[in-house]
Amino acid sequence: METTSSITAGHAVLETVIGFMGIAWSEKGLIRLCLPERSREAVERRLLRHAGVSASTAQPPWVVELIASIKAYAAGEDVDFTGVPVDLDGIDDFRLAIYDAARKLGYGETTTYGELAKRAGHGGLPRETGAALGANPVPLVIPCHRILAAGGKIGGFSAPGGSNTKEKMLAMEGVRVGPPPPAQVSFGF
């Protein structure tokens, strides 16, 4: 039973090996996740720009666990974020379906915008799927970095650093995107 003094909402900026990241939560779950920036202040500004982000920094136990998981992910560990509660109040049914389908992708698993649209029951809408993922409030937990353009191309990414950040996150998960490595020189015998 929660008391009135229980923490219901807040935010945190965390330092990881890949930069400063931020999260914000409501009484229902995670509402924002900011991917790496160079400074704590930049992340704090980005978080507090959004309506509904509480100034509180007190952390309920699930947030303490999430922070540890984010730090582990940033350090290169295989982390499963599917159990993280997410508060997506106010998000339309199309985006909810896309986000739900994206959450089913495991560490190091990728798909295309077109295939994800199909999995979400909205086949034929790859551009709209890309737009929905570009508005994803909780990247990493909803792993939009795992969705590629047709032909295995990197595709867009709206986080700081753009496609370079997406490529780095995928590389951390063992996924190589882009042209194949140069062929090994053969010995000819």
Side-chain angles (χ1 to χ4, degrees):
M1 186 82 178
E2 286 201 298
T3 64
T4 51
S5 64
S6 291
I7 297 122
T8 58
H11 79 280
V13 176
L14 43 146
E15 190 170 4
T16 74
V17 295
I18 58 174
F20 290 95
M21 295 174 72
I23 58 172
W25 59 91
S26 71
E27 60 283 346
K28 294 180 190 171
L30 190 66
I31 58 172
R32 290 270 164 220
L33 190 150
C34 296
L35 291 173
E37 296 247 23
R38 285 197 176 95
S39 77
R40 179 177 297 280
E41 296 72 29
V43 173
E44 185 92 16
R45 275 194 306 276
R46 262 187 43 228
L47 275 176
L48 295 176
R49 244 191 347 239
H50 297 286
V53 173
S54 167
S56 172
T57 55
Q59 299 169 1
W62 73 269
V63 169
V64 173
E65 287 175 33
L66 175 58
I67 289 170
S69 293
I70 291 169
K71 287 181 177 187
Y73 175 87
E77 291 180 36
D78 176 345
V79 176
D80 178 0
F81 291 103
T82 56
V84 175
V86 177
D87 178 356
L88 298 173
D89 278 1
I91 291 181
D92 63 83
D93 290 343
F94 174 76
R95 282 173 50 200
L96 290 174
I98 297 299
Y99 296 164
D100 184 56
R103 277 195 97 174
K104 291 179 169 82
L105 291 170
Y107 185 91
E109 182 185 352
T110 62
T111 192
T112 63
Y113 294 105
E115 180 57 32
L116 187 71
K118 260 189 242 165
R119 291 181 190 180
H122 295 283
L125 299 175
R127 279 186 173 33
E128 294 82 349
T129 297
L133 293 167
N136 176 7
V138 291
L140 187 57
V141 172
I142 295 174
C144 51
H145 65 283
R146 295 179 183 149
I147 319 304
L148 304 173
K153 292 187 175 64
I154 191 78
F157 202 55
S158 58
S163 295
N164 286 339
T165 297
K166 182 175 183 175
E167 199 165 0
K168 286 177 187 168
M169 291 173 75
L170 287 169
M172 285 171 43
E173 295 183 24
V175 177
R176 192 172 194 298
V177 181
Q184 186 174 356
V185 178
S186 70
F187 291 107
F189 56 83

